[in-house]
Amino acid sequence: MTIRSVIRGVGSYLPANVVTNEELSKTVDTSDLWIQERTGIKQRHIAADGEMTSDLAIAAGRQAMERAGLTSDDIDLFVVATATPDQTFPATAAKVQAALGRPGVPSFDIQAVCSGFVYGLSVVDNFMKCGQVKSALFIGAETFSRILDWEDRGTCVLFGDGAGAVALTAETGQGSTADRGVLSTHLHSDGTQHDLLYVDGGVSSTQTTGHVRMEGREVFRHAVVNLASTVREALEANDITIDDVDWLVPHQANKRILESTAKKLRISGDKVIVTVDQHANTSAASIPLALATGVDDGRIQTGQLVLMEAMGGGFTWGSALVRM
Ligand code: UT7
């Protein structure tokens, strides 16, 4: 018998304000054509003034919980993956917990930037496998617009705001890939690549929030290699092939990265959930937002095998195989 962390409900929230490429090209030297050709992005959602990461997280989290048929009294653990918390402390997860009315149980944030959802899912899964919690609300939420340099066309066109959430419960499985739940997670990081993708500020360095800095072309090159490698690792660990996977739900950074990775893995584009055109890169929120999109439109069904993969600042990267 094996404990499995089963995703019972997914939720999402996107700020109402949609900013198109055309609108961006009025304030920064870019064009809709360049952005679409180089990234596949058509638009992004941007949080309103005063709208915080916790607001996005609470909305997505509440929806995931309700769709799972759970109330906050049922939740044993609140985790938020974010690189853009409301405050340096307390954790954004604590604000979610307070808003949903469940004081007393643990809450904390995970910081692995764009890999935050895969990292957090691994942490939650291990809490469940250890028997420490029986249910969890796990949310990826970001207001990346707050850390963009809106004069840097190389980065400001790439990101957006949003939140996606999963409500999980611990169930008993047989220990095979037929089980529902998280089947395996695979995490990596390489801190020596810091200079290729980072924020040039922080509490202990500049006492400012700082802005995203990125060597896009180099990050792109590493992303395709690392993502294909961590997907293969997940397949091997579970003794399955890419043909067994129903859906690839990748971190959404760039449509060309999604296509190159899919080609390398020999998975049909029809099996890849793509939301980067609508949401841009929402960092830790991008995988659960894509998952919610696939579930909401009926493509992703209970019992199907979903492979998630992500890569981000650190570098961090990783994958997770989940039977829905
Ligand atoms: O989620 C975390 C991981 N992040 C990523 O995975 C992002 C990975 N990188 C990328 O997605 C791509 O590298 C970018 C979309 C960031 C850039 O695409 P690229 O094809 O690698 O372009 P580039 O950086 O090589 O730039 C090509 C040209 C440059 O002009 P010159 O030097 O050739 O004259 C840039 O200055 O495009 C120019 N450029 C732009 N032009 C119009 C860069 N940004 C823009 C822009 N609009 N927004």
Side-chain angles (χ1 to χ4, degrees):
M1 273 199 334
T2 308
I3 296 175
R4 296 293 192 191
S5 313
V6 176
I7 295 178
R8 294 279 167 201
V10 298
S12 63
Y13 177 81
L14 290 157
N17 181 27
V18 173
V19 177
T20 64
N21 295 343
E22 201 62 52
E23 285 171 75
L24 268 187
S25 68
K26 291 179 187 148
T27 55
V28 62
D29 181 16
T30 189
S31 66
D32 178 44
L33 185 68
W34 190 94
I35 301 172
Q36 287 215 44
E37 273 186 6
R38 308 310 292 170
T39 71
I41 296 166
K42 294 179 180 159
Q43 61 171 48
R44 71 285 296 137
H45 292 250
I46 301 291
D49 288 346
E51 196 173 27
M52 291 185 280
T53 295
S54 62
D55 297 318
L56 278 51
I58 290 161
R62 185 173 278 129
Q63 189 178 60
M65 203 172 66
E66 286 170 1
R67 287 183 175 176
L70 301 171
T71 70
S72 52
D73 287 344
D74 300 315
I75 304 293
D76 295 343
L77 171 68
F78 290 83
V79 180
V80 173
T82 187
T84 49
D86 293 8
Q87 292 152 256
T88 303
F89 77 81
T92 301
K95 297 182 86 172
V96 174
Q97 177 198 44
L100 296 183
R102 178 72 167 130
V105 301
S107 66
F108 57 86
D109 289 356
I110 296 273
Q111 206 323 16
V113 209
C114 298
S115 309
F117 192 77
V118 173
Y119 266 67
L121 194 62
S122 182
V123 170
V124 169
D125 183 41
N126 281 308
F127 262 85
M128 286 194 172
K129 285 200 170 119
C130 289
Q132 203 166 343
V133 302
K134 290 206 165 2
S135 63
L137 188 59
F138 171 44
I139 307 162
E142 303 277 15
T143 48
F144 242 63
S145 59
R146 309 312 196 217
I147 53 167
L148 295 176
D149 174 352
W150 288 99
E151 292 179 1
D152 175 13
R153 67 177 184 173
T155 52
C156 76
V157 304
L158 304 175
F159 295 91
D161 301 335
V166 288
L168 305 105
T169 59
E171 308 291 338
T172 304
Q174 298 302 314
S176 81
T177 54
D179 290 344
R180 282 189 73 191
V182 178
L183 299 177
S184 70
T185 57
H186 309 271
L187 307 181
H188 300 274
S189 75
D190 179 359
T192 67
Q193 305 292 348
H194 168 280
D195 293 354
L196 297 181
L197 180 52
Y198 64 102
V199 165
D200 63 1
V203 181
S204 173
S205 52
T206 59
Q207 293 82 56
T208 62
T209 309
H211 294 116
V212 176
R213 302 294 173 209
M214 177 167 70
E215 298 289 334
R217 205 178 301 185
E218 276 302 299
V219 176
F220 191 113
R221 198 172 59 78
H222 280 85
V224 176
V225 173
N226 291 340
L227 292 172
S229 139
T230 192
V231 165
R232 289 202 186 100
E233 171 179 41
L235 298 176
E236 276 166 30
N238 292 281
D239 200 17
I240 59 169
T241 71
I242 196 73
D243 296 334
D244 296 315
V245 173
D246 292 299
W247 297 103
L248 188 66
V249 182
H251 167 53
Q252 311 277 324
N254 183 324
K255 194 153 185 266
R256 288 189 297 136
I257 296 181
L258 304 187
E259 288 166 355
S260 304
T261 310
K263 196 169 162 203
K264 230 171 161 34
L265 294 167
R266 297 175 195 278
I267 185 168
S268 153
D270 298 346
K271 288 177 148 192
V272 183
I273 304 284
V274 179
T275 52
V276 67
D277 54 333
Q278 299 299 309
H279 305 160
N281 181 346
T282 56
S283 186
S286 91
I287 289 181
L289 273 170
L291 186 70
T293 301
V295 168
D296 289 352
D297 67 22
R299 277 179 292 172
I300 301 178
Q301 302 277 336
T302 300
Q304 288 188 323
L305 208 48
V306 170
L307 222 168
M308 306 169 188
E309 41 92 329
M311 145 103 189
F315 287 157
T316 54
W317 67 100
S319 58
L321 186 71
V322 179
R323 191 171 290 285
M324 295 295 292

